[in-house]
Amino acid sequence: MRELTIPESGPKRKLLDAAEQLFAEKGFEAVSVRDVTQFVKMNVAAVNYHFGSREGMLTLVILRYAGPVNEERLARLESAERKWAGKGLPLEEIIDAFVRPLLGQVRKTALSEGLFYKLLGRIFAENGDGLSPIIEERLRQTSDRFARAFGKALPTIGAEELVARIHFMTGGLVHLLTHQDMLANGASGLPSMEVTLTRFIRFAVAGLREGTDTEVVVKKGPQAMFDF
Amino acid sequence: MRELTIPESGPKRKLLDAAEQLFAEKGFEAVSVRDVTQFVKMNVAAVNYHFGSREGMLTLVILRYAGPVNEERLARLESAERKWAGKGLPLEEIIDAFVRPLLGQVRKTALSEGLFYKLLGRIFAENGDGLSPIIEERLRQTSDRFARAFGKALPTIGAEELVARIHFMTGGLVHLLTHQDMLANGASGLPSMEVTLTRFIRFAVAGLREGTDTEVVVKKGPQAMFDF
DNA sequence: TTGCGATTGAATCGTTCGTTTGACATTGGC
DNA sequence: GCCAATGTCAAACGAACGATTCAATCGCAA
């Protein structure tokens, strides 16, 4: 196996750029090493020479952006916690720290905005489903850290309920990233990601904060258990 | 191409059952026709004989459950609309009509509960991304119908905002289905889907109803182009 | 029993996949 | 000029894929 550092130029960089574009367009499984090498008119063997395997290339593609995104997430969260030390950290700030770093990384790539978000969406959608252990570990660290922050900000909500709500939120975020191009509405074109994320934060804050814990006493029949 | 009706017994049924289980476990792309036929100790040619192609089999697997789910969704929505005619249809009822049919179909399959929800999640996750046109059309009909109902129930929310919020909600639902097994929490085992869906409805209602339209005046950055 | 359509079986087709090989080209230091 | 490191190249490998072929077999009405 070759080094796992991210190249700033040269043929490795060229391959990574091509791979990331194709992965974003068609998904991780739908792109072969031949697709990638032909895209930049290089030889098939180049991928295995530079990355050891297709998997190695995939790992680097993901690491190149998922890494910085997760780091910025944690940095923003800690900065916010310092700022609100003593007082309780508002829910909006946590969610903001979780989603806004997605915006920060988009300009560092040659990809179009939409494609970049799709790439990120695909990364977070798998969430350790066949991804390399390195990536999986980093994702887990981040989500654990945020889960604790959410718990502090929402002390009246039970653990099980909270886990569920966080899952709902992350699901919405993934869907938002991967289906961003479906948000276009008639006359006006696509809303900017800035606007979409702001909308998402409002949505998520409301859903997370809703009431307190859900009464989980299933009364009798399969469907008569609503009391909101 | 052979007939597109869903068999109640016989070798076609046996193949469909095997395919649906494997698709649910590993995903649509990760299962070969050889996997399916070997699973029930039939010949490789059986799939192409009975369904015309792998794609034909996949379409039937999806149609067998996505069909009834969507039909029940529409039936429940119309029933609720009749019940609340005149008065405004409450948001909870719309979402309930959208998600509860998922519960109704689970007992009609030999699959374990968890696997069945994964299957449904995979279906709705693709949402016309490579699925057969027949299925795509039905999904589109249903989501159009519900989008209109949501619009009526939330008249103060702008169209673009509403589309975004519905996307957030469906994303959460898909994630909930596919990652249901991650909702387990320490001591107590998995919460029942009944409970999880109830939680989801509360979450979604709160997010959808939140305030009115989002103020979309982006303060300084380059993208200030919204005026609804 | 005979005949016939429906089904199954083993074998094989042509493709595509990730990966490997070994020859060849390029480069920089001595 | 020479060596070794580095990179590129065409070619091929074995495995897996969906699909097809065609003979063997089955169920069952005539």
Side-chain angles (χ1 to χ4, degrees), chain A residues 161 188 199 222 226 228, chain B residues 92 100 160-161 194 199 228:
Chain A
E161 173 90 28
S188 59
R199 286 178 170 146
F226 289 91
F228 24 138
Chain B
E92 291 87 344
R100 193 153 305 276
E160 200 176 273
E161 174 90 28
E194 185 84 30
R199 285 180 170 142
F228 32 127

Side-chain angles (χ1 to χ4, degrees), chain B residues 47-210:
Chain B
V47 164
N48 279 279
Y49 177 76
H50 286 291
F51 305 106
S53 68
R54 179 189 188 275
E55 174 99 4
M57 181 178 65
L58 177 59
T59 300
L60 269 193
V61 166
I62 296 178
L63 223 48
R64 183 148 69 138
Y65 294 109
V69 165
N70 273 339
E71 278 168 27
E72 194 183 333
R73 279 173 164 174
L74 293 175
R76 277 178 187 262
L77 179 58
E78 273 161 30
S79 154
E81 276 174 342
R82 273 194 306 276
K83 183 174 145 201
W84 293 83
K87 299 159 280 192
L89 177 52
L91 192 54
E92 291 87 344
E93 297 256 354
I94 305 177
I95 302 182
D96 193 79
F98 192 71
V99 303
R100 193 153 305 276
L102 299 172
L103 286 176
Q105 293 298 323
V106 69
R107 308 244 176 263
K108 302 186 182 172
T109 172
L111 247 50
S112 74
E113 258 201 62
L115 273 187
F116 176 74
Y117 295 126
K118 281 212 168 180
L119 180 70
L120 283 178
R122 292 189 198 276
I123 293 174
F124 296 127
E126 322 249 343
N127 204 3
D129 204 44
L131 297 185
S132 103
I134 310 165
I135 300 167
E136 210 174 324
E137 170 63 15
R138 297 207 189 180
L139 285 179
R140 207 195 44 74
Q141 275 179 2
T142 305
S143 54
D144 279 6
R145 185 75 183 73
F146 272 86
R148 262 180 286 131
F150 281 124
K152 265 194 183 172
L154 298 165
T156 66
I157 297 183
E160 200 176 273
E161 174 90 28
L162 184 63
V163 169
R165 291 189 185 182
I166 292 176
H167 269 85
F168 302 156
M169 179 194 68
T170 59
L173 182 58
V174 166
H175 191 82
L176 140 67
L177 291 170
T178 53
H179 293 77
Q180 189 220 9
D181 46 355
M182 289 189 182
L183 290 180
N185 180 278
S188 60
L190 240 72
S192 77
M193 195 45 130
E194 185 84 30
V195 170
T196 305
L197 277 190
T198 304
R199 285 180 170 142
F200 176 76
I201 293 176
R202 277 174 57 107
F203 178 90
V205 166
L208 282 172
R209 184 138 51 198
E210 163 67 10

